[in-house]
Amino acid sequence: MSIQAINTDPMLPDLFQIEHIRRELSDTFTLTLAAQDGKTDFQFQPGQFNMLYQFGVGEVPISISGDPARSDRLIHTIRDVGSVTSAMAKLAKGDVIGLRGPYGKPWPVEDMEGQDIVIITGGIGLAPLRPAIYHILANRKKYGKVVLLYGARTPGDILYRKELEKWRGRFDMCVEVTVDNAGREWSGNVGVVPNLVSRARFDPLHTSAMVCGPEIMMHYAIKALNSADVANDQIYVSMERNMKCAVGFCGHCQYGHNFVCKDGPVFRFDRISKIFSVREV
Amino acid sequence: MVKISNLDKSLSEHPFFEDMDAEIQKIIAGCARNERYEADAIIHHEGDKADRFYLVRGGVVSIELHVPGHEPVVMDSVHEGEVFGWSWIIPPYRNTYDARAVKLTRLVSLDAKCLRKKMKKNHELGYELLKRFIPVMAHRLSASRLQILDVFGSPKQKS
């Protein structure tokens, strides 16, 4: 895979038409985007993001959540949480938005070959990890055990539910889902996602972990991984900060001596562990 | 009643008793018994006397809160190798939640009155049990804090 910018001017968006909209949850939707100029080769690496531009409202960084092996369309899962994403939630098939990218450092899935893989995620944090899961499953023999631990608020808030069930049905992948609270009709796990780490089976000395979710969830997930003897240099996290330019010019997403947009969003944890718990950063 | 030797084995294989002195384990086994619950069976209710604590040998137990006028809310699920029921150690020894078997569940239960009596006489036993219970309690407290934060809730859901 190679990183190939769609446009040579990093600040100039291309026009993309919404080909399909899938309502995932009450506040979460997935857009399938096709370039208006007919281009069909949008190579990206798992964990990278695009800047999506809702004309007249603003621009937001959104992780690519589709299959990196299928570069003809771009897929983004978006949660309606602010003015831009709220406007995007009202878009219809055929509407046009601006898009520039892909940007950022990816999950180093090729460097993880030969290792057990532990993926810990929650809520919409599964979206930036889905391309990595697709890649690992497409190259399954190159990896050891594959464990996916996913947490959601309630059973009704589980993202990509059908896909999780499909992955759970595979014999070569362990998928555990937990919810923060539930009624009696839910017979699955209840409790926070870091609790699942101690129940998972993997070889801690030969494991690469990928963690994505709210920062406080990542904090506890990393503690659980450390307790299971997974070292910080085996853990990768995807950080989120207020990104504006996406190319390291504006400084809005400065994180210590890094810019999340160009040095991240994926960081090896030992490289940011000192600032991860600094409140002012 | 299952023979104590079988219970000894169940206890020594359970992670809660990992590295525990065999003599102390034997004393604890004297207060233990095997229990089996079918799916959906209630193990104890909130407010009941906390006269036992439990080690899960197989199955899943859901920890539930009774909310007046509503369906019970499941707060946690306890799996094989884990323990639940620490109210036995805290006066006034009343359970603070409902415990229900989610599916066929096998437990080792320990008689609290018997244990409290032995702990009063044998401080080493008391220390061993507290040393193992306190990290479980701390872990659950920390998990509950994370749950309260509602980290996956959107601003709209939280408002």
Side-chain angles (χ1 to χ4, degrees):
Chain A
M1 287 182 286
S2 67
I3 303 170
Q4 182 191 342
I6 293 165
N7 202 309
T8 48
D9 181 345
M11 298 307 290
L12 187 65
D14 282 310
L15 299 179
F16 276 70
Q17 196 164 41
I18 297 170
E19 200 176 68
H20 184 258
I21 301 173
R22 184 186 160 84
R23 301 285 161 195
E24 305 279 0
L25 304 169
S26 60
D27 61 353
T28 306
F29 54 99
T30 296
L31 301 180
T32 303
L33 303 171
Q36 256 200 340
D37 63 6
K39 273 187 210 165
T40 54
D41 186 21
F42 310 116
Q43 290 188 28
F44 69 95
Q45 297 183 73
Q48 287 193 298
F49 67 95
N50 283 321
M51 296 298 291
L52 302 190
Y53 192 2
Q54 171 73 34
F55 297 111
V57 185
E59 202 180 32
V60 282
I62 304 287
S63 295
I64 307 169
S65 52
D67 186 346
R70 294 193 57 188
S71 57
D72 57 331
R73 295 289 184 272
L74 283 167
I75 294 175
H76 291 276
T77 297
I78 302 165
R79 193 176 194 192
D80 171 6
V81 287
S83 55
V84 180
T85 50
S86 196
M88 284 178 176
K90 295 181 183 80
L91 291 172
K93 185 178 169 183
D95 284 346
V96 173
I97 61 170
L99 182 151
R100 57 191 180 92
Y103 298 120
K105 295 275 193 301
W107 302 107
V109 283
E110 283 164 2
D111 296 343
M112 295 175 178
E113 288 176 6
Q115 301 276 304
D116 286 355
I117 302 294
V118 177
I119 296 165
I120 308 174
T121 180
I124 198 169
L126 182 56
L129 277 161
R130 191 167 69 162
I133 296 169
Y134 286 143
H135 175 88
I136 290 163
L137 294 181
N139 297 276
R140 186 63 191 85
K141 285 181 182 167
K142 294 181 179 173
Y143 298 90
K145 286 179 185 156
V146 178
V147 177
L148 169 61
L149 310 175
Y150 175 68
R153 190 182 198 229
T154 68
D157 296 311
I158 295 171
L159 186 65
Y160 307 144
R161 194 171 187 150
K162 281 189 178 168
E163 224 160 2
L164 283 166
E165 283 168 8
K166 201 172 115 187
W167 291 335
R168 196 173 191 168
R170 291 177 65 119
F171 294 109
D172 59 356
M173 184 176 185
C174 168
V175 177
E176 288 293 336
V177 175
T178 188
V179 295
D180 281 354
N181 58 71
R184 277 189 173 171
E185 68 286 353
W186 169 254
S187 59
N189 290 308
V190 180
V192 294
V193 67
N195 282 359
L196 299 178
V197 175
S198 62
R199 295 177 200 152
R201 296 188 196 288
F202 54 89
D203 175 2
L205 299 179
H206 300 98
T207 286
S208 291
M210 292 181 264
V211 186
C212 184
E215 235 165 275
I216 184 75
M217 183 221 89
M218 295 203 288
H219 170 74
Y220 283 100
I222 290 161
K223 274 172 85 168
L225 284 166
N226 290 159
S227 297
D229 289 333
V230 179
N232 285 346
D233 63 357
Q234 298 167 259
I235 301 170
Y236 292 82
V237 296
S238 183
M239 297 298 296
E240 198 176 86
R241 284 294 181 273
N242 184 16
M243 291 192 260
K244 292 286 181 192
C245 74
V247 286
F249 290 159
C250 72
H252 275 88
C253 64
Q254 187 171 356
Y255 184 60
H257 61 281
N258 299 300
F259 290 126
V260 172
C261 67
K262 81 177 174 61
D263 303 312
V266 175
F267 293 94
R268 204 174 80 183
F269 187 64
D270 61 320
R271 292 176 179 155
I272 57 163
S273 59
K274 281 186 183 158
I275 55 169
F276 189 75
S277 54
V278 176
R279 293 177 188 194
E280 291 76 13
V281 182
Chain B
M1 185 70 105
V2 179
K3 282 180 186 171
I4 284 183
S5 57
N6 289 345
L7 281 163
D8 265 337
K9 195 167 175 281
S10 294
L11 292 183
S12 62
E13 285 171 357
H14 197 281
F16 186 74
F17 289 94
E18 200 180 314
D19 298 328
M20 186 183 270
D21 182 83
E23 276 307 307
I24 291 182
Q25 242 181 65
K26 212 168 178 182
I27 299 170
I28 294 171
C31 301
R33 75 174 186 217
N34 277 311
E35 293 191 24
R36 175 198 152 107
Y37 291 88
E38 298 296 330
D40 262 344
I42 297 294
I43 299 163
H44 63 63
H45 276 117
E46 180 181 346
D48 285 352
K49 269 188 187 172
D51 49 10
R52 313 201 76 82
F53 86 89
Y54 301 89
L55 318 175
V56 182
R57 289 178 56 217
V60 181
V61 174
S62 78
I63 303 300
E64 301 177 355
L65 279 185
H66 171 67
V67 185
H70 295 272
E71 287 292 303
V73 178
V74 183
M75 301 303 295
D76 200 359
S77 46
V78 186
H79 295 248
E80 184 180 332
E82 298 175 345
V83 300
F84 68 96
W86 59 69
S87 303
W88 73 277
I89 219 164
I90 306 163
Y93 312 122
R94 294 277 168 185
N95 288 313
T96 54
Y97 51 76
D98 296 349
R100 181 178 59 91
V102 176
K103 53 185 179 181
L104 173 66
T105 298
R106 290 187 170 83
L107 308 169
V108 173
S109 80
L110 291 120
D111 183 322
K113 220 172 171 180
C114 165
L115 271 182
R116 287 196 295 259
K117 212 167 145 186
K118 287 181 180 179
M119 282 167 69
K120 213 170 176 180
K121 284 185 187 162
N122 184 341
H123 291 178
E124 198 186 339
L125 166 70
Y127 172 71
E128 275 297 326
L129 278 170
L130 287 177
K131 195 172 79 176
R132 283 151 206 272
F133 253 100
I134 287 167
V136 175
M137 292 163 82
H139 179 77
R140 295 265 166 83
L141 178 64
S142 165
S144 297
R145 283 178 180 152
L146 190 54
Q147 250 167 320
I148 290 165
L149 284 176
D150 191 16
V151 294
F152 303 128
S154 72
K156 286 177 184 173
Q157 283 172 314
K158 287 177 183 176
S159 64

